[in-house]
Amino acid sequence: MTRYRPWSLRDLVADIAAGRTTPEDAVARARARIAATDAELHAWVAHVPSLDPATGPLGGVPLAVKDIIDLAGLPTRCGSALRADAPPAASDAVIVERWRHAGAVPIGKTVTTEFAFFSPGPTGNPAAPGHTPGGSSSGSAAAVAAGHVPLALGSQTAGSVTRPASFCGVAALVMSRGRIPADGVTGLSPSLDSHGLFVATASDAALAWSALTGEPEVPPRPPRLLVWHGSGETRATVDAAAGKLKSAGAVAEEFPDPALIASLTAAHPVVMAYEAARERAEELAMADRLSAQLANLLRTGAAMSREDYEQAQATIAAGGRRLAEICASYDAVLAPAAPGPAPRGLAATGDPVLSRPWQALGLAVATVPGLRDDAGLPLGLQLVGKLREEAALLGAARWVEDALTP
Protein backbone atom coordinates (compact mmCIF):
# COMPACT_ATOMS: atom_id res chain seq x y z
CA MET A 1 0.00 0.00 0.00
CA THR A 2 1.26 3.50 -0.86
CA ARG A 3 2.30 5.25 2.32
CA TYR A 4 2.37 8.82 0.90
CA ARG A 5 -1.13 9.94 -0.09
CA PRO A 6 -1.99 13.45 1.21
CA TRP A 7 -5.70 14.25 1.42
CA SER A 8 -6.86 17.60 -0.01
CA LEU A 9 -8.62 19.73 2.62
CA ARG A 10 -10.06 22.02 -0.05
CA ASP A 11 -11.55 19.09 -1.98
CA LEU A 12 -13.04 17.56 1.16
CA VAL A 13 -14.63 20.83 2.32
CA ALA A 14 -16.12 21.33 -1.15
CA ASP A 15 -17.42 17.76 -1.23
CA ILE A 16 -19.08 18.11 2.18
CA ALA A 17 -20.61 21.47 1.25
CA ALA A 18 -22.00 20.05 -2.00
CA GLY A 19 -23.38 16.94 -0.34
CA ARG A 20 -21.07 14.62 -2.27
CA THR A 21 -19.86 13.21 1.05
CA THR A 22 -20.67 13.66 4.73
CA PRO A 23 -18.61 14.38 7.86
CA GLU A 24 -19.39 10.84 9.02
CA ASP A 25 -18.01 9.42 5.77
CA ALA A 26 -14.89 11.58 6.14
CA VAL A 27 -14.26 10.27 9.65
CA ALA A 28 -14.83 6.71 8.45
CA ARG A 29 -12.32 7.29 5.65
CA ALA A 30 -9.80 8.67 8.15
CA ARG A 31 -10.21 5.75 10.49
CA ALA A 32 -9.94 3.21 7.67
CA ARG A 33 -6.73 4.79 6.40
CA ILE A 34 -5.27 4.88 9.92
CA ALA A 35 -6.22 1.24 10.46
CA ALA A 36 -4.55 0.27 7.19
CA THR A 37 -1.23 2.09 7.66
CA ASP A 38 -0.55 3.19 11.24
CA ALA A 39 0.77 -0.16 12.45
CA GLU A 40 3.72 0.69 10.23
CA LEU A 41 3.85 4.50 10.58
CA HIS A 42 3.13 4.93 14.32
CA ALA A 43 1.78 8.46 13.95
CA TRP A 44 -0.94 8.23 16.62
CA VAL A 45 -0.95 7.85 20.41
CA ALA A 46 -4.71 7.96 21.13
CA HIS A 47 -8.06 8.10 19.38
CA VAL A 48 -11.29 9.84 20.36
CA PRO A 49 -13.92 7.10 20.93
CA SER A 50 -17.02 9.17 20.11
CA LEU A 51 -17.19 12.39 18.13
CA ASP A 52 -19.24 15.57 18.42
CA PRO A 53 -20.87 17.12 15.31
CA ALA A 54 -19.35 20.31 13.89
CA THR A 55 -21.02 23.21 12.08
CA GLY A 56 -18.26 25.69 11.19
CA PRO A 57 -16.93 26.52 7.71
CA LEU A 58 -14.79 23.39 7.58
CA GLY A 59 -17.99 21.37 7.79
CA GLY A 60 -16.74 18.50 9.95
CA VAL A 61 -13.29 17.60 8.60
CA PRO A 62 -11.21 15.17 10.71
CA LEU A 63 -8.44 16.83 12.74
CA ALA A 64 -5.30 15.42 14.41
CA VAL A 65 -3.94 17.08 17.57
CA LYS A 66 -0.27 16.97 18.64
CA ASP A 67 0.10 15.39 22.05
CA ILE A 68 1.35 18.48 23.87
CA ILE A 69 -2.05 20.15 23.25
CA ASP A 70 -4.95 19.44 25.60
CA LEU A 71 -7.88 17.59 24.06
CA ALA A 72 -10.76 17.04 26.47
CA GLY A 73 -11.12 13.40 27.50
CA LEU A 74 -7.61 12.27 26.51
CA PRO A 75 -4.37 12.57 28.52
CA THR A 76 -1.60 14.96 27.42
CA ARG A 77 1.48 12.76 27.71
CA CYS A 78 3.96 14.95 25.79
CA GLY A 79 5.89 11.92 24.54
CA SER A 80 7.43 11.44 27.99
CA ALA A 81 7.52 8.63 30.52
CA LEU A 82 7.01 11.33 33.16
CA ARG A 83 3.45 11.76 31.85
CA ALA A 84 2.65 8.06 31.41
CA ASP A 85 -0.07 8.20 34.07
CA ALA A 86 -1.44 11.63 33.17
CA PRO A 87 -5.22 11.90 33.67
CA PRO A 88 -7.51 12.90 30.79
CA ALA A 89 -7.58 16.64 30.10
CA ALA A 90 -10.68 18.24 31.59
CA SER A 91 -11.08 20.70 28.72
CA ASP A 92 -9.74 21.62 25.31
CA ALA A 93 -6.82 23.96 24.75
CA VAL A 94 -7.89 27.32 23.34
CA ILE A 95 -6.45 26.41 19.95
CA VAL A 96 -8.59 23.25 19.85
CA GLU A 97 -11.66 25.28 20.83
CA ARG A 98 -10.97 27.61 17.89
CA TRP A 99 -10.62 24.72 15.45
CA ARG A 100 -13.86 23.15 16.70
CA HIS A 101 -15.58 26.50 16.13
CA ALA A 102 -14.16 26.47 12.60
CA GLY A 103 -15.81 23.10 11.98
CA ALA A 104 -12.95 20.65 12.54
CA VAL A 105 -13.57 17.41 14.45
CA PRO A 106 -10.62 16.16 16.55
CA ILE A 107 -10.33 12.40 16.10
CA GLY A 108 -7.20 11.74 18.14
CA LYS A 109 -3.70 12.71 19.24
CA THR A 110 -0.43 12.34 17.39
CA VAL A 111 3.13 11.52 18.40
CA THR A 112 5.44 14.27 19.64
CA THR A 113 9.08 14.15 20.60
CA GLU A 114 9.59 14.37 24.37
CA PHE A 115 8.14 17.73 25.49
CA ALA A 116 8.51 18.95 21.88
CA PHE A 117 12.31 18.79 21.95
CA PHE A 118 14.66 16.45 20.07
CA SER A 119 14.24 12.92 21.47
CA PRO A 120 12.57 11.06 18.58
CA GLY A 121 9.29 9.21 18.75
CA PRO A 122 8.50 6.02 16.80
CA THR A 123 6.88 7.71 13.78
CA GLY A 124 8.04 6.89 10.26
CA ASN A 125 8.08 9.13 7.19
CA PRO A 126 5.38 8.22 4.62
CA ALA A 127 7.16 10.13 1.84
CA ALA A 128 10.64 8.77 2.58
CA PRO A 129 10.49 5.34 4.21
CA GLY A 130 13.53 4.69 6.38
CA HIS A 131 14.10 8.43 6.92
CA THR A 132 13.06 10.62 9.86
CA PRO A 133 9.79 12.56 9.57
CA GLY A 134 11.46 15.35 11.58
CA GLY A 135 10.47 16.66 14.98
CA SER A 136 8.76 17.54 17.18
CA SER A 137 5.39 17.50 15.36
CA SER A 138 6.38 14.24 13.67
CA GLY A 139 3.07 12.44 14.18
CA SER A 140 0.98 15.29 12.77
CA ALA A 141 3.19 15.71 9.69
CA ALA A 142 3.15 11.97 9.00
CA ALA A 143 -0.62 11.75 9.56
CA VAL A 144 -1.21 14.38 6.85
CA ALA A 145 1.38 12.92 4.47
CA ALA A 146 -0.21 9.47 4.80
CA GLY A 147 -3.73 10.78 4.20
CA HIS A 148 -4.97 9.85 7.68
CA VAL A 149 -6.43 13.35 8.04
CA PRO A 150 -6.52 16.49 5.84
CA LEU A 151 -5.60 18.78 8.77
CA ALA A 152 -3.33 18.35 11.81
CA LEU A 153 -2.09 20.62 14.59
CA GLY A 154 1.57 21.13 15.48
CA SER A 155 3.71 23.59 17.38
CA GLN A 156 7.09 25.16 16.74
CA THR A 157 9.76 26.40 19.14
CA ALA A 158 12.75 25.94 16.81
CA GLY A 159 11.79 24.14 13.57
CA SER A 160 9.15 21.62 14.65
CA VAL A 161 6.56 22.47 11.99
CA THR A 162 8.61 23.71 9.03
CA ARG A 163 11.15 20.85 9.11
CA PRO A 164 8.72 17.90 9.35
CA ALA A 165 6.56 19.43 6.62
CA SER A 166 9.60 19.62 4.36
CA PHE A 167 10.74 16.08 5.18
CA CYS A 168 7.24 14.60 4.69
CA GLY A 169 6.34 16.51 1.52
CA VAL A 170 3.36 18.46 2.86
CA ALA A 171 2.47 22.11 3.46
CA ALA A 172 2.46 23.87 6.81
CA LEU A 173 1.87 27.19 8.49
CA VAL A 174 3.61 28.52 11.59
CA MET A 175 1.34 31.21 12.99
CA SER A 176 2.60 34.55 14.24
CA ARG A 177 3.50 34.09 17.87
CA GLY A 178 0.71 35.17 20.21
CA ARG A 179 -1.93 35.30 17.47
CA ILE A 180 -3.96 32.70 19.38
CA PRO A 181 -3.48 32.07 23.14
CA ALA A 182 -1.38 29.07 24.16
CA ASP A 183 -3.59 28.11 27.13
CA GLY A 184 -3.79 24.34 27.33
CA VAL A 185 -0.51 23.74 25.47
CA THR A 186 2.49 22.30 27.34
CA GLY A 187 5.13 24.85 26.38
CA LEU A 188 8.89 24.84 26.24
CA SER A 189 9.91 28.49 25.74
CA PRO A 190 7.22 31.19 26.07
CA SER A 191 9.15 33.69 23.94
CA LEU A 192 9.46 31.19 21.09
CA ASP A 193 6.50 28.75 21.15
CA SER A 194 4.06 29.13 18.23
CA HIS A 195 1.01 27.27 16.95
CA GLY A 196 1.19 25.47 13.62
CA LEU A 197 -0.83 23.37 11.19
CA PHE A 198 -0.17 20.75 8.52
CA VAL A 199 -2.17 20.24 5.31
CA ALA A 200 -1.52 18.79 1.86
CA THR A 201 -0.93 22.05 -0.05
CA ALA A 202 -0.45 25.78 0.41
CA SER A 203 -3.94 26.22 -1.05
CA ASP A 204 -5.28 24.06 1.78
CA ALA A 205 -3.35 26.16 4.31
CA ALA A 206 -5.02 29.32 2.99
CA LEU A 207 -8.44 27.72 3.33
CA ALA A 208 -7.69 26.47 6.85
CA TRP A 209 -6.45 29.88 7.99
CA SER A 210 -9.53 31.62 6.61
CA ALA A 211 -11.81 29.11 8.36
CA LEU A 212 -9.93 29.51 11.65
CA THR A 213 -9.83 33.31 11.73
CA GLY A 214 -12.64 34.49 9.46
CA GLU A 215 -10.15 36.46 7.36
CA PRO A 216 -10.91 36.23 3.61
CA GLU A 217 -8.41 34.39 1.46
CA VAL A 218 -5.96 36.63 -0.42
CA PRO A 219 -5.91 35.74 -4.14
CA PRO A 220 -2.56 34.39 -5.41
CA ARG A 221 -0.40 36.97 -7.16
CA PRO A 222 3.29 37.23 -8.13
CA PRO A 223 5.15 38.18 -4.92
CA ARG A 224 8.20 40.32 -4.31
CA LEU A 225 10.71 37.95 -2.67
CA LEU A 226 14.10 38.16 -1.01
CA VAL A 227 16.04 34.92 -1.47
CA TRP A 228 18.12 33.48 1.38
CA HIS A 229 20.02 30.28 0.63
CA GLY A 230 20.74 29.26 4.22
CA SER A 231 23.19 26.41 4.61
CA GLY A 232 23.21 22.84 3.43
CA GLU A 233 22.82 21.09 0.12
CA THR A 234 19.82 22.94 -1.26
CA ARG A 235 21.44 25.98 -2.90
CA ALA A 236 20.98 24.70 -6.44
CA THR A 237 17.37 23.79 -5.70
CA VAL A 238 16.62 27.25 -4.32
CA ASP A 239 18.36 28.92 -7.26
CA ALA A 240 16.35 26.86 -9.72
CA ALA A 241 13.09 27.62 -7.90
CA ALA A 242 13.86 31.35 -7.73
CA GLY A 243 14.67 31.38 -11.45
CA LYS A 244 11.40 29.68 -12.27
CA LEU A 245 9.45 32.10 -10.09
CA LYS A 246 11.10 35.10 -11.77
CA SER A 247 10.22 33.69 -15.17
CA ALA A 248 6.61 33.41 -14.01
CA GLY A 249 6.48 37.04 -12.90
CA ALA A 250 7.79 37.24 -9.35
CA VAL A 251 10.53 39.54 -8.09
CA ALA A 252 13.35 37.47 -6.56
CA GLU A 253 16.39 39.33 -5.24
CA GLU A 254 19.24 38.21 -2.98
CA PHE A 255 18.74 38.82 0.76
CA PRO A 256 21.20 41.66 1.48
CA ASP A 257 22.30 40.99 5.09
CA PRO A 258 23.16 37.34 5.87
CA ALA A 259 25.06 38.47 8.99
CA LEU A 260 21.74 39.62 10.45
CA ILE A 261 20.29 36.14 10.02
CA ALA A 262 23.40 34.60 11.56
CA SER A 263 23.03 36.77 14.67
CA LEU A 264 19.40 35.78 15.10
CA THR A 265 20.27 32.12 14.58
CA ALA A 266 22.86 32.35 17.36
CA ALA A 267 20.54 34.13 19.79
CA HIS A 268 17.65 31.68 19.41
CA PRO A 269 19.10 28.65 21.29
CA VAL A 270 20.20 30.88 24.17
CA VAL A 271 16.63 32.08 24.73
CA MET A 272 15.27 28.58 24.21
CA ALA A 273 17.53 26.91 26.78
CA TYR A 274 17.18 29.66 29.40
CA GLU A 275 13.39 29.72 29.22
CA ALA A 276 13.00 25.94 28.94
CA ALA A 277 14.88 25.42 32.21
CA ARG A 278 12.37 27.65 33.95
CA GLU A 279 9.22 26.64 32.05
CA ARG A 280 9.94 22.97 32.64
CA ALA A 281 11.43 23.34 36.14
CA GLU A 282 9.38 20.40 37.41
CA GLU A 283 10.91 18.14 34.77
CA LEU A 284 14.39 19.57 35.39
CA ALA A 285 14.12 18.31 38.96
CA MET A 286 13.72 14.80 37.48
CA ALA A 287 16.25 15.20 34.68
CA ASP A 288 17.72 11.74 35.23
CA ARG A 289 14.40 10.33 33.97
CA LEU A 290 14.40 12.42 30.79
CA SER A 291 16.02 11.79 27.43
CA ALA A 292 19.64 12.87 27.21
CA GLN A 293 18.69 15.62 24.72
CA LEU A 294 16.06 17.24 26.93
CA ALA A 295 18.05 16.80 30.15
CA ASN A 296 21.02 18.53 28.52
CA LEU A 297 18.85 21.44 27.31
CA LEU A 298 17.35 22.02 30.75
CA ARG A 299 20.67 21.75 32.57
CA THR A 300 22.33 24.06 30.04
CA GLY A 301 19.57 26.60 30.46
CA ALA A 302 19.67 26.42 34.24
CA ALA A 303 23.38 27.26 34.16
CA MET A 304 22.94 30.32 31.90
CA SER A 305 23.19 33.78 33.32
CA ARG A 306 20.39 36.33 33.20
CA GLU A 307 22.82 38.66 31.41
CA ASP A 308 23.37 36.19 28.55
CA TYR A 309 19.62 35.75 28.18
CA GLU A 310 18.94 39.47 28.12
CA GLN A 311 21.71 40.03 25.56
CA ALA A 312 20.17 37.39 23.31
CA GLN A 313 16.76 39.03 23.64
CA ALA A 314 18.30 42.42 22.81
CA THR A 315 19.91 40.91 19.70
CA ILE A 316 16.54 39.54 18.61
CA ALA A 317 14.77 42.86 19.21
CA ALA A 318 17.36 44.78 17.18
CA GLY A 319 17.29 42.13 14.48
CA GLY A 320 13.54 42.40 14.18
CA ARG A 321 13.76 46.13 13.59
CA ARG A 322 16.47 45.68 10.95
CA LEU A 323 14.56 42.89 9.18
CA ALA A 324 11.42 45.04 9.05
CA GLU A 325 13.45 47.75 7.28
CA ILE A 326 14.92 45.29 4.79
CA CYS A 327 11.58 43.64 4.01
CA ALA A 328 9.45 46.79 3.91
CA SER A 329 8.93 46.66 0.13
CA TYR A 330 8.87 42.84 -0.18
CA ASP A 331 6.19 40.25 0.51
CA ALA A 332 8.32 37.44 1.97
CA VAL A 333 11.73 35.84 2.31
CA LEU A 334 12.13 32.69 0.21
CA ALA A 335 14.47 30.08 1.74
CA PRO A 336 14.98 26.33 1.99
CA ALA A 337 12.81 24.81 4.71
CA ALA A 338 15.59 22.48 5.88
CA PRO A 339 19.29 22.01 5.09
CA GLY A 340 18.45 19.02 2.90
CA PRO A 341 16.10 16.05 2.59
CA ALA A 342 15.15 13.95 5.61
CA PRO A 343 18.22 12.25 7.11
CA ARG A 344 18.21 8.45 7.00
CA GLY A 345 17.08 6.58 10.13
CA LEU A 346 14.80 7.44 13.05
CA ALA A 347 17.47 8.07 15.71
CA ALA A 348 17.55 11.84 15.13
CA THR A 349 15.05 14.40 13.81
CA GLY A 350 17.27 16.63 11.66
CA ASP A 351 18.55 20.17 12.05
CA PRO A 352 16.18 23.13 12.67
CA VAL A 353 18.89 25.73 11.99
CA LEU A 354 17.10 27.31 9.01
CA SER A 355 14.02 28.04 11.12
CA ARG A 356 15.77 29.51 14.17
CA PRO A 357 16.09 33.15 12.93
CA TRP A 358 12.43 33.48 11.95
CA GLN A 359 11.21 31.66 15.05
CA ALA A 360 13.24 34.03 17.23
CA LEU A 361 11.18 36.86 15.72
CA GLY A 362 7.83 35.05 15.96
CA LEU A 363 7.02 35.56 12.28
CA ALA A 364 4.48 33.68 10.20
CA VAL A 365 6.10 31.02 8.00
CA ALA A 366 4.51 28.93 5.25
CA THR A 367 6.10 25.73 3.97
CA VAL A 368 5.49 24.97 0.31
CA PRO A 369 5.94 21.34 -0.80
CA GLY A 370 6.44 19.88 -4.24
CA LEU A 371 10.19 19.78 -4.87
CA ARG A 372 12.26 16.57 -4.81
CA ASP A 373 15.97 15.81 -4.80
CA ASP A 374 17.68 13.48 -7.28
CA ALA A 375 16.78 10.49 -5.08
CA GLY A 376 13.11 11.48 -5.02
CA LEU A 377 13.06 12.71 -1.40
CA PRO A 378 10.89 15.76 -0.60
CA LEU A 379 12.46 19.22 -0.36
CA GLY A 380 10.36 22.07 0.99
CA LEU A 381 10.64 25.81 0.57
CA GLN A 382 9.72 28.24 3.34
CA LEU A 383 8.20 31.64 2.80
CA VAL A 384 8.77 33.94 5.77
CA GLY A 385 6.09 36.59 6.05
CA LYS A 386 5.35 39.52 8.27
CA LEU A 387 3.96 39.47 11.77
CA ARG A 388 0.19 38.87 11.81
CA GLU A 389 -0.06 38.89 8.01
CA GLU A 390 -0.78 35.20 7.49
CA ALA A 391 -3.47 35.70 4.84
CA ALA A 392 -1.15 37.72 2.61
CA LEU A 393 1.66 35.22 3.16
CA LEU A 394 -0.55 32.31 2.16
CA GLY A 395 -1.69 34.15 -0.96
CA ALA A 396 1.98 34.39 -1.96
CA ALA A 397 2.56 30.75 -1.00
CA ARG A 398 -0.33 29.62 -3.21
CA TRP A 399 1.15 31.53 -6.16
CA VAL A 400 4.61 30.02 -5.54
CA GLU A 401 3.09 26.54 -5.29
CA ASP A 402 1.20 26.98 -8.56
CA ALA A 403 4.25 28.41 -10.35
CA LEU A 404 6.48 25.51 -9.28
CA THR A 405 3.97 22.74 -9.95
CA PRO A 406 4.61 21.04 -13.31
Side-chain angles (χ1 to χ4, degrees):
M1 177 176 289
T2 302
R3 298 181 181 90
Y4 178 71
R5 198 170 71 190
W7 184 1
S8 167
L9 176 68
R10 191 174 289 274
D11 286 353
L12 177 58
V13 170
D15 286 344
I16 292 173
R20 294 187 290 268
T21 191
T22 66
E24 292 77 16
D25 288 341
V27 170
R29 171 178 164 175
R31 286 179 163 163
R33 181 68 176 162
I34 292 168
T37 60
D38 204 49
E40 184 176 1
L41 288 177
H42 306 289
W44 296 80
V45 296
H47 301 279
V48 176
S50 61
L51 305 177
D52 299 323
T55 57
L58 293 179
V61 301
L63 172 74
V65 178
K66 180 180 180 179
D67 194 25
I68 65 166
I69 303 170
D70 285 352
L71 180 58
L74 293 179
T76 306
R77 295 197 170 104
C78 301
S80 177
L82 297 184
R83 296 286 186 94
D85 299 322
S91 59
D92 289 332
V94 171
I95 186 70
V96 174
E97 292 176 354
R98 299 287 178 90
W99 282 110
R100 285 191 197 271
H101 185 71
V105 178
I107 67 166
K109 306 197 75 174
T110 49
V111 169
T112 175
T113 60
E114 188 181 34
F115 286 100
F117 196 54
F118 280 111
S119 180
T123 306
N125 187 332
H131 296 250
T132 177
S136 64
S137 307
S138 50
S140 288
V144 168
H148 293 172
V149 286
L151 176 64
L153 305 190
S155 68
Q156 178 154 301
T157 306
S160 297
V161 170
T162 303
R163 183 167 89 263
S166 179
F167 289 173
C168 292
V170 296
L173 172 68
V174 179
M175 302 176 197
S176 300
R177 187 160 49 253
R179 188 69 187 268
I180 294 175
D183 305 65
V185 180
T186 303
L188 191 60
S189 175
S191 292
L192 302 173
D193 297 338
S194 297
H195 294 298
L197 64 87
F198 296 90
V199 283
T201 64
S203 175
D204 287 346
L207 173 65
W209 179 254
S210 179
L212 180 67
T213 63
E215 295 179 6
E217 292 187 53
V218 172
R221 61 176 178 78
R224 295 179 57 83
L225 303 171
L226 287 170
V227 181
W228 177 60
H229 291 89
S231 57
E233 55 190 271
T234 56
R235 185 177 188 92
T237 301
V238 173
D239 282 340
K244 195 168 183 178
L245 296 176
K246 288 178 70 174
S247 297
V251 171
E253 299 173 351
E254 192 78 11
F255 188 87
D257 190 355
L260 168 65
I261 299 177
S263 69
L264 292 166
T265 303
H268 174 278
V270 175
V271 173
M272 185 172 178
Y274 184 90
E275 292 190 356
R278 287 144 185 89
E279 182 75 2
R280 302 262 58 87
E282 182 179 344
E283 287 76 21
L284 174 60
M286 299 180 282
D288 58 339
R289 296 174 58 192
L290 297 171
S291 63
Q293 297 98 321
L294 183 57
N296 182 59
L297 173 76
L298 300 184
R299 287 166 174 154
T300 299
M304 282 182 173
S305 69
R306 180 76 185 180
E307 290 72 21
D308 287 344
Y309 170 71
E310 291 177 346
Q311 180 57 54
Q313 287 284 29
T315 297
I316 291 169
R321 293 190 291 272
R322 172 63 178 146
L323 187 72
E325 294 172 358
I326 291 173
C327 294
S329 59
Y330 295 87
D331 297 302
V333 175
L334 174 72
R344 182 172 293 280
L346 302 183
T349 63
D351 190 344
V353 64
L354 302 189
S355 291
R356 290 189 187 276
W358 325 116
Q359 197 60 25
L361 298 174
L363 300 176
V365 177
T367 306
V368 178
L371 302 178
R372 299 268 173 170
D373 71 357
D374 292 341
L377 299 177
L379 293 172
L381 294 172
Q382 59 176 328
L383 285 178
V384 183
K386 298 174 181 175
L387 198 64
R388 302 179 74 83
E389 294 190 12
E390 282 86 348
L393 173 66
L394 291 167
R398 288 180 65 185
W399 187 90
V400 167
E401 182 174 72
D402 291 343
L404 295 178
T405 300

